[in-house]
Amino acid sequence: MMERYRAQRTRGLLALTAAAGLLLTGCGASDSGDSSADDSSYASGFPAPDYTHGSGGTGEQKNNDTDGNDDSESREFAPAPDYLSTFALDVDTASYGYARRSLADGRLPDPSTVRPEEFVNSFRQDYDRPDGNGFTVTVDGARTDREDWSLVRVGLATRPAADSGERPPAALTFVIDISGSMAEPGRLDLAKDSLEVMTNRLRDDDSVAIVTFSDEAETVLPMTRLDGNRDDVHDAIDSLEPTDSTNLGAGVETGYETAVEGLREGATNRVVLVSDALANTGDTDADTILERIASERREHGITLFGVGVGSDYGDALMERLADKGDGHTTYVSSEDEAREVFCEELPKNIDLTARDAKAQVAFDETTVSEFRLIGYDNRQVADEDFRDDSVDGGEVGPGHTVTALYAVRTRPGTEGHLATATVRWLDPDSRAPHEESGRLETASLASSVWSASPRFQVTATAAYFADALRLGDDRRPALPGSAHLGELADRADRLATTTEDQDVRHLADAIDRASDLTGQD
């Protein structure tokens, strides 16, 4: 749940923010030069706020909201915010995929499963990319038709994904749900077909293990090099059949045990959980399952990739598992989507470009009166923990973009520096810290959301759509400049034509279905 920002302004923070404005140049672009976060980079980059004389942030670690409740008070814009916003990076997209599936089935998604950042991050962006590991930072924005309110987009991009031959080898442990509910078309059959194709596309020096779970868990295939053994992997996949109930805890535990037994030095070791995440037997306590994932992640660096399937789907549990396992989640409901995930996304993004990545955005009090981060409710980090590298951030691979959208209210008649965004990450091999920053001036705001670049408009449309699904029919959307679903569907339709992007066409179709279901034509 998004907590309201409190009024804790300090002159020290304002001075530091002003210093950042003088030291950083170039709207919507990343800084040049060495971004290694040693003492010299602090002097030439984004300075750390001084928390010893009054915090510029809340000074509290935000708690994850795991019960799905939507507190109306949490959706208000804070009348007197502080001027820092800090969060761990997130590239999950499962929330958007599951919402599309729900709408295709003729029902609105449960508001508790709608996470705006996952809607926004489901679409291609036009950010510049770095040559090596780490990020570029792009900051842009546009004014809305609500007085003094703008949308500000912070975009982070990693280098393009390398060809398959250039990445490190992979050691993938697939943990496959074969419970009775997985017999539904579009679940186990979809996973098996995709795994078969993926096995043929992986390299000879990659390794695969397969664990299944229903009422109990079983290692069907120990970690096996594909060189000369692809038939064994295909045989194991062919043997998968749905059986009884869902002991997800046993599946996760056995999966990590198998991954540890087959651990490969110099390889990307990852557990891939394929399930509807509807645990109904054995250890169903999320915290116990999560602790197992956390300990293996810390000791062995094994990350988790969650793939959700099924019309009934345990979204909250899958998201928490992936967050605790330093991984991310996606959702598939069609053969095309499954093949994209297993055959393109997973093999291509086995590499890692940044560990424990966090972003911090500092808004200038002289131009900004209040702001709100859209989404990232479960990814907030205490402001003073931005440079504490023992505090978990997000793991991000090549080819990814991360977008954060803010609603920002500017002070009437003011001009100048509006915000500075900084991303901090650890090198995946050396764990050396690095930072990169970008800034935005009020003069660079587009005059209207709908006259901004097409990709900015797609970002805004996805956010407005998520906001509408979270609020329902009887509550006014909290995101400034929002439109009713019928108008939003028309805008998405035009954007699909402009961008020639099939994903945007799917967005337009989903909004149109939601419009029909809510009567907002």
Side-chain angles (χ1 to χ4, degrees):
M1 180 176 67
M2 174 69 74
E3 294 187 0
R4 299 174 64 185
Y5 292 99
R6 300 174 185 173
Q8 295 181 320
R9 311 176 190 178
T10 65
R11 293 186 180 276
L13 175 60
L14 295 180
L16 289 169
T17 305
L22 293 173
L23 292 166
L24 300 172
T25 59
C27 171
S30 61
D31 288 343
S32 59
D34 183 9
S35 61
S36 179
D38 56 17
D39 290 342
S40 62
S41 75
Y42 289 164
S44 62
F46 184 76
D50 182 1
Y51 290 101
T52 61
H53 298 89
S55 171
T58 64
E60 300 173 355
Q61 174 70 47
K62 306 295 193 301
N63 293 323
N64 287 354
D65 178 16
T66 57
D67 60 8
N69 291 333
D70 186 15
D71 188 333
S72 61
E73 182 175 338
S74 74
R75 301 189 60 80
E76 296 176 1
F77 290 97
D82 64 31
Y83 289 87
L84 283 178
S85 170
T86 309
F87 60 95
L89 268 56
D90 189 1
V91 294
D92 291 354
T93 60
S95 175
Y96 173 68
Y98 186 46
R100 282 186 57 210
R101 169 64 185 265
S102 298
L103 291 165
D105 289 344
R107 55 190 171 86
L108 292 170
D110 186 324
S112 69
T113 68
V114 177
R115 293 181 291 278
E117 72 277 15
E118 297 187 23
F119 279 54
V120 166
N121 282 312
S122 294
F123 298 94
R124 189 178 307 120
Q125 296 290 0
D126 52 2
Y127 310 137
D128 290 336
R129 293 186 180 273
D131 294 329
N133 286 343
F135 299 87
T136 57
V137 182
T138 300
V139 192
D140 57 7
R143 300 188 183 277
T144 73
D145 58 8
R146 184 174 166 188
E147 185 178 5
D148 299 328
W149 284 96
S150 299
L151 296 184
V152 170
R153 180 178 66 161
V154 175
L156 311 173
T158 59
R159 61 172 168 80
D163 293 335
S164 176
E166 299 176 10
R167 63 164 172 81
L172 306 176
T173 301
F174 289 91
V175 180
I176 313 295
D177 187 345
I178 59 168
S179 61
S181 61
M182 292 292 287
E184 176 191 302
R187 298 193 186 196
L188 184 57
D189 58 334
L190 201 62
K192 288 176 63 175
D193 178 70
S194 301
L195 288 171
E196 296 274 19
V197 177
M198 185 204 68
T199 299
N200 292 331
R201 296 190 182 183
L202 288 173
R203 297 186 332 209
D204 285 347
D205 63 346
D206 292 330
S207 302
V208 170
I210 297 177
V211 171
T212 61
F213 67 94
S214 53
D215 56 340
E216 297 180 346
E218 177 187 2
T219 300
V220 176
L221 182 76
M223 193 64 71
T224 302
R225 285 280 291 258
L226 290 178
D227 184 14
N229 298 303
R230 290 182 195 269
D231 288 345
D232 294 338
V233 178
H234 285 299
D235 289 343
I237 295 170
D238 290 339
S239 71
L240 303 181
E241 296 293 339
T243 56
D244 301 312
S245 53
T246 310
N247 191 338
L248 191 146
V252 170
E253 182 167 352
T254 303
Y256 271 84
E257 288 174 352
T258 302
V260 170
E261 289 171 3
L263 195 72
R264 289 181 58 186
E265 294 296 330
T268 299
N269 295 274
R270 180 168 295 183
V271 169
V272 183
L273 174 61
V274 184
S275 176
D276 56 18
L278 300 174
N280 57 21
T281 192
D283 188 356
T284 60
D285 179 64
D287 290 337
T288 304
I289 301 172
L290 292 168
E291 182 51 38
R292 173 70 185 191
I293 291 176
S295 62
E296 299 296 358
R297 185 267 303 168
R298 288 191 296 266
E299 185 175 352
H300 300 290
I302 300 172
T303 57
L304 179 71
F305 180 36
V307 182
V309 295
S311 55
D312 293 320
Y313 168 54
D315 168 80
L317 177 56
M318 184 70 90
E319 185 205 13
R320 291 179 67 200
L321 289 171
D323 284 349
K324 200 74 170 182
D326 278 349
H328 62 283
T329 63
T330 190
Y331 178 88
V332 298
S333 61
S334 69
E335 184 176 333
D336 287 344
E337 291 174 355
R339 292 203 176 195
E340 172 68 22
V341 167
F342 286 108
C343 307
E344 303 296 337
E345 180 180 339
L346 181 58
K348 184 172 64 177
N349 294 321
I350 285 170
D351 201 358
L352 193 65
T353 61
R355 292 186 183 276
D356 288 322
K358 310 182 195 88
Q360 186 169 84
V361 183
F363 292 93
D364 194 325
E365 188 182 16
T366 61
T367 55
V368 174
S369 60
E370 50 187 305
F371 69 91
R372 175 174 167 245
L373 173 62
I374 309 305
Y376 291 93
D377 296 13
N378 295 339
R379 304 292 285 169
Q380 293 186 63
V381 173
D383 294 335
E384 62 267 32
D385 287 339
F386 177 57
R387 291 197 173 95
D388 183 347
D389 296 326
S390 67
V391 175
D392 279 351
E395 273 40 50
V396 184
H400 280 128
T401 60
V402 179
T403 299
L405 197 66
Y406 287 85
V408 179
R409 189 173 191 177
T410 52
R411 298 186 185 280
T414 57
E415 296 181 357
H417 176 246
L418 192 148
T420 295
T422 301
V423 58
R424 180 182 176 89
W425 73 95
L426 303 183
D427 182 272
D429 298 319
S430 69
R431 294 189 177 270
H434 298 267
E435 294 185 7
E436 199 72 43
S437 296
R439 58 181 280 138
L440 178 66
E441 304 292 317
T442 58
S444 296
L445 292 170
S447 60
S448 165
V449 168
W450 308 116
S451 66
S453 70
R455 288 295 167 187
F456 187 97
Q457 292 184 53
V458 171
T459 299
T461 300
Y464 285 140
F465 182 35
D467 204 56
L469 293 176
R470 290 182 90 178
L471 292 168
D473 296 345
D474 57 346
R475 295 171 61 185
R476 182 178 179 182
L479 190 54
S482 59
H484 64 77
L485 287 171
E487 179 184 344
L488 207 57
D490 291 340
R491 291 193 181 279
D493 183 69
R494 290 194 290 272
L495 283 169
T497 301
T498 300
T499 60
E500 298 182 342
D501 186 338
Q502 191 62 33
D503 290 336
V504 182
R505 174 60 59 198
H506 292 156
L507 173 64
D509 293 342
I511 298 174
D512 193 55
R513 291 191 183 97
S515 174
D516 290 342
L517 289 170
T518 60
Q520 296 183 35
D521 296 329

